Amino acid sequence: MFVLDSIGFVNTGLPLIVLGVLAVLLPRLVVDGDTRSHGKVAAGIGVCAVILFAVGYAVSYVLTHTRGVHAMALGSSPELGSALWVHSRLSLMAAIVWAPILGLVWFGQAQGVEARRGQDLVARGR
């Protein structure tokens, strides 16, 4: 296995903080704040997860490239598929941080949907 560098603030802490902040803020931009549909919330959270995976992939690529290693030549062989797998794996490892945060944001969004549905029922007089 390829070891990039030891754990430090610039190559580990800062990217995880950025991904965590994005996991909190991104759903506010993607999911409609007035929706009454759990399906739309779930779809928005799914889009956010894909975006966060892509950002994690990009961060892995950039950090590897700035260390002087050609980012697409990593792995056991110089094939493109191997490099894609290495960066995908590193991006999925970062999901250990942002996935629980995104799950909590999803829970909060779902509570908002239920609150709006309840307000609608009260407004109709039921």
Side-chain angles (χ1 to χ4, degrees):
M1 173 156 62
F2 184 83
V3 178
L4 184 61
D5 200 0
S6 61
I7 295 174
F9 180 73
V10 174
N11 68 350
T12 305
L14 187 60
L16 292 178
I17 290 170
V18 168
L19 287 169
V21 169
L22 281 175
V24 171
L25 298 179
L26 203 56
R28 295 182 188 274
L29 299 173
V30 174
V31 178
D32 181 22
D34 293 330
T35 188
R36 270 102 171 129
S37 169
H38 286 290
K40 288 182 181 179
V41 171
I45 295 296
V47 168
C48 291
V50 170
I51 292 170
L52 287 167
F53 174 80
V55 170
Y57 188 95
V59 166
S60 171
Y61 181 88
V62 168
L63 286 175
T64 303
H65 196 68
T66 58
R67 295 283 187 214
V69 178
H70 187 337
M72 295 313 273
L74 288 176
S76 59
S77 65
E79 299 173 3
L80 178 64
S82 178
L84 292 174
W85 169 247
V86 168
H87 293 299
S88 295
R89 185 179 60 83
L90 290 172
S91 182
L92 287 174
M93 288 171 60
I96 292 172
V97 171
W98 61 258
I101 296 170
L102 192 61
L104 290 173
V105 171
W106 185 358
F107 182 70
Q109 294 276 342
Q111 284 183 325
V113 167
E114 289 301 319
R116 287 185 290 279
R117 285 181 175 182
Q119 290 170 351
D120 290 346
L121 286 176
V122 169
R124 287 187 214 142
R126 292 184 180 191

